[in-house]
Amino acid sequence: MTNDSKPTTFIIFGASGDLTERKLIPALFNSYCKQRLPEQFNIVGFARRPWDNAELRKILKEGMLELAPDAYDEEKWTPFAQNITYVQGDLNTQADFEKLREHLENIENGPANRLYYLAVAPRFFVPIVESLGTANMVDQNRGWRRVVVEKPFGHDLASAQELNKAIQAVFDEDQIYRIDHYLGKETAQNILYFRFANTIFEPVWNRNYVDNVQISVIESVDVGHRAGYYEEAGVVRDMFQNHLMQLLSLVAMEPPASFEANAVRNEKAKLFHAVRPLSLNHTVRAQYEGYLQTEQVAKGSQTPTYAAMELFIDNWRWQGVPFYLRSGKALTNKNTEIVVEFKRPPHIMFDGIVDEDFTANILSMCIQPDEGIHLRLEAKVPDSRKTQPVDMEFHYRSSFKGNNLPDAYERLLLDAVRGDASLFTRADGIEAAWRLMDPVIYGWENEAEAPPMATYKHGSWGPKEAHTLLNRSGRTWRHACSHPDE
Ligand code: BG6
């Protein structure tokens, strides 16, 4: 699939972790089955556990059987797994990186490309990168060297800047792939195709026709066993700084001149710079009932598990159009949806119909789980003078029958191998997103300025304060993707 004929080695730091088993190996295996991996490849797991090749292969196979049983195919797994090897080592021990280098040179047996994947806790990002540098494993004379950095990328602007600096001291920016798996979702990518592969939407995609835009990333799962991590992160770091900001940029950015990585990322950067600093009065923070009783959650914790915010973009296209963002855990069901609500008709000419009877046109992009697009229109009810909203719908499951939507990691890993960074975040993009979220995160830590911590019931649509945020300007949260009504 790649036009570089050298073998490629995937080196996974954190091979014994959840991400490797859950996402990376299924993604690599699926790509292998679709014959999309380079013809010659190796997967090298690096971790502390006292395993050997056989043990790692066995564990990864069990993971596949448990987590991706439909994708598993014994006949293909056997030759695939032959390419997996293990190096036991400590992430803080330089000698273990030398051992890794020897192992790589042995199995590669000549020039080869390398993708270093940091599937580890963030405190190991810098030590790994520095050790790779010291062990002379970044030099590109014998093949390209790239590094994929998982989230969270920093915990605020200052730490993200430091992390960028430390990684850039070893790798060039074009070797660094900062992953945000939302960008690998087919439906997130489709936002740009929808906007720029059609002509009918772009003319109305602006302040003249759009009343407001809503981005909802609703999750039904609670923090579960991740409370230790979540307590430190909270919903703004966990979801807003990365996933919601990226969705916002896709919906609101100007058309790039090409789909080339830097052309796309330049437009995103411009968009982030045009976002007006958020006003804390227009934010909502909340915790679900029961969060405080979760194991590993501090007594009286102020970590928000839900947030909603209103923001504005100060440019010609969007001046005055509110963008509403919300996300939280332990909500009614899983649903990621972007709604563009259009303005109402300027004048209602139909007898007997009052303004309030009219629903504004709504364009809804369903990112997950029921991937597709809905356009809500007013239609005349037959044999009556009334109107009723109806939906024109497109669903991936019916329009592209038989095409399973690939997991985001599948696409992103292949893009990293191809050297296409358009779906990865550039240093300035990450920092710009933190620059917007820092005042919220730190503003909320200051009790005098922060909005009160609201609460909401497990399985609900979130706190009533999130509704008030819209209601005060006469708006409501909308959705068209299939799920029970709010
Ligand atoms: C991760 C967050 O980045 O995204 C999780 O850390 C969250 O808390 C997850 O559950 C949501 O991703 P998806 O693909 O399931 O919507």
Side-chain angles (χ1 to χ4, degrees):
M1 192 65 194
T2 70
N3 43 21
D4 182 341
S5 58
K6 284 191 211 66
T8 297
T9 311
F10 299 87
I11 300 104
I12 305 178
F13 294 102
S16 55
D18 206 41
L19 184 74
T20 304
E21 200 177 29
R22 212 167 263 284
K23 294 290 181 187
L24 304 183
I25 292 298
L28 288 169
F29 181 60
N30 281 338
S31 299
Y32 172 77
C33 294
K34 294 178 189 169
Q35 299 185 325
R36 290 182 177 171
L37 286 189
E39 218 167 278
Q40 292 181 57
F41 70 93
N42 279 293
I43 300 172
V44 178
F46 182 98
R48 269 213 320 232
R49 308 257 171 109
W51 293 346
D52 57 13
N53 297 347
E55 183 73 9
L56 176 64
R57 289 174 191 166
K58 180 171 147 266
I59 282 162
L60 296 178
K61 176 176 167 175
E62 285 163 6
M64 279 294 300
L65 288 169
E66 187 198 333
L67 302 163
D70 296 344
Y72 186 77
D73 175 343
E74 178 81 25
E75 226 172 85
K76 293 196 168 121
W77 176 265
T78 309
F80 172 79
Q82 287 308 313
N83 299 301
I84 302 177
T85 54
Y86 184 68
V87 174
Q88 190 207 350
D90 185 293
L91 295 169
N92 287 314
T93 306
Q94 185 63 38
D96 289 346
F97 281 78
E98 309 293 341
K99 183 163 103 182
L100 173 65
R101 195 192 54 211
E102 274 171 33
H103 176 81
L104 293 176
E105 285 167 2
N106 275 338
I107 57 167
E108 288 166 349
N109 197 22
N113 301 316
R114 291 184 192 161
L115 189 72
Y116 299 114
Y117 202 111
L118 311 190
V120 292
R123 67 177 186 282
F124 294 116
F125 292 169
V126 174
I128 294 176
V129 165
E130 286 177 348
S131 295
L132 288 173
T134 309
N136 198 16
M137 294 168 78
V138 175
D139 186 288
Q140 304 206 76
N141 286 339
R142 289 166 68 77
W144 53 251
R145 304 286 181 258
R146 295 178 189 143
V147 62
V148 180
V149 189
E150 262 294 333
K151 60 162 287 219
F153 197 94
H155 60 270
D156 57 11
L157 176 60
S159 55
Q161 282 170 329
E162 253 173 56
L163 184 54
N164 273 328
K165 225 164 112 191
I167 300 177
Q168 285 168 339
V170 177
F171 287 94
D172 289 338
E173 178 61 28
D174 64 6
Q175 292 174 277
I176 307 170
Y177 289 71
R178 299 172 192 80
I179 210 161
D180 183 318
H181 77 281
Y182 265 60
L183 293 178
K185 290 182 190 285
E186 285 286 322
T187 35
Q189 292 166 42
N190 193 42
I191 298 171
L192 290 187
Y193 284 79
F194 178 80
R195 289 185 58 195
F196 304 130
N198 298 291
T199 50
I200 60 173
F201 303 110
E202 210 44 29
V204 295
W205 211 258
N206 56 51
R207 65 190 302 273
N208 298 328
Y209 293 94
V210 174
D211 179 82
N212 72 91
V213 178
Q214 304 175 7
I215 302 178
S216 302
V217 183
I218 303 293
E219 293 193 276
S220 54
V221 290
D222 58 23
V223 301
H225 66 279
R226 295 172 76 222
Y229 151 77
Y230 200 85
E231 264 289 274
E232 296 292 313
V235 69
V236 179
R237 290 188 173 99
D238 189 48
M239 298 297 288
F240 279 73
Q241 184 276 337
N242 39 53
H243 309 323
L244 277 96
M245 284 291 121
Q246 289 301 327
L247 293 177
L248 171 73
S249 69
L250 295 174
V251 176
M253 71 196 230
E254 294 301 314
S258 77
F259 213 25
E260 186 269 324
N262 278 332
V264 174
R265 301 188 301 179
N266 288 344
E267 292 307 330
K268 287 185 176 181
K270 269 158 62 185
L271 190 271
F272 288 140
H273 284 118
V275 176
R276 192 184 304 167
L278 275 84
S279 150
L280 290 188
N281 292 333
H282 293 191
T283 62
V284 173
R285 58 179 185 138
Q287 254 177 12
Y288 62 82
E289 288 172 11
Y291 177 71
L292 291 175
Q293 284 74 53
T294 311
E295 211 176 307
Q296 288 189 289
V297 169
K299 192 158 174 261
S301 162
Q302 290 292 299
T303 300
T305 62
Y306 178 100
M309 35 189 101
E310 178 184 62
L311 60 80
F312 289 92
I313 299 170
D314 287 330
N315 63 16
W316 272 60
R317 186 189 284 267
W318 294 119
Q319 187 55 242
V321 177
F323 283 71
Y324 297 105
L325 276 52
R326 64 175 168 172
S327 180
K329 300 264 184 224
L331 295 165
T332 167
N333 54 13
K334 185 166 178 75
N335 175 241
T336 303
E337 180 169 356
I338 300 176
V339 166
V340 179
E341 178 169 346
F342 290 92
K343 292 190 170 167
R344 289 159 165 276
H347 165 66
I348 308 289
M349 61 177 222
F350 305 104
D351 280 347
I353 299 181
V354 288
D355 225 21
E356 290 68 47
D357 294 336
F358 257 66
T359 311
N361 295 134
I362 287 171
L363 181 91
S364 166
M365 290 176 268
C366 311
I367 308 293
Q368 59 186 9
D370 182 17
E371 294 87 354
I373 290 175
H374 294 232
L375 180 60
R376 186 162 292 177
L377 313 162
E378 280 295 301
K380 181 178 177 301
V381 177
D383 203 17
S384 118
R385 285 167 172 271
K386 290 205 164 96
T387 64
Q388 186 183 304
V390 292
D391 272 9
M392 276 169 60
E393 298 182 24
F394 146 66
H395 294 275
Y396 275 79
R397 63 179 143 76
S398 49
S399 296
F400 297 109
K401 266 198 198 112
N403 288 29
N404 286 337
L405 291 181
D407 186 75
Y409 279 87
E410 213 176 303
R411 167 71 193 258
L412 294 172
L413 275 164
L414 288 179
D415 277 4
V417 170
R418 285 192 199 102
D420 179 354
S422 40
L423 298 179
F424 293 82
T425 319
R426 206 169 54 188
D428 58 341
I430 290 258
E431 291 178 13
W434 278 120
R435 198 166 282 116
L436 290 168
M437 289 300 123
D438 265 18
V440 177
I441 294 169
Y442 291 115
W444 284 356
E445 284 178 9
N446 175 350
E447 280 304 315
E449 285 179 31
M453 179 70 84
T455 54
Y456 60 100
K457 289 211 174 331
H458 218 289
S460 71
W461 275 98
K464 64 176 187 330
E465 287 78 354
H467 297 274
T468 315
L469 180 70
L470 273 72
N471 296 162
R472 60 188 174 192
S473 62
R475 299 181 169 99
T476 51
W477 290 104
R478 309 257 184 210
H479 43 70
C481 300
S482 46
H483 43 65
D485 276 340
E486 201 158 333

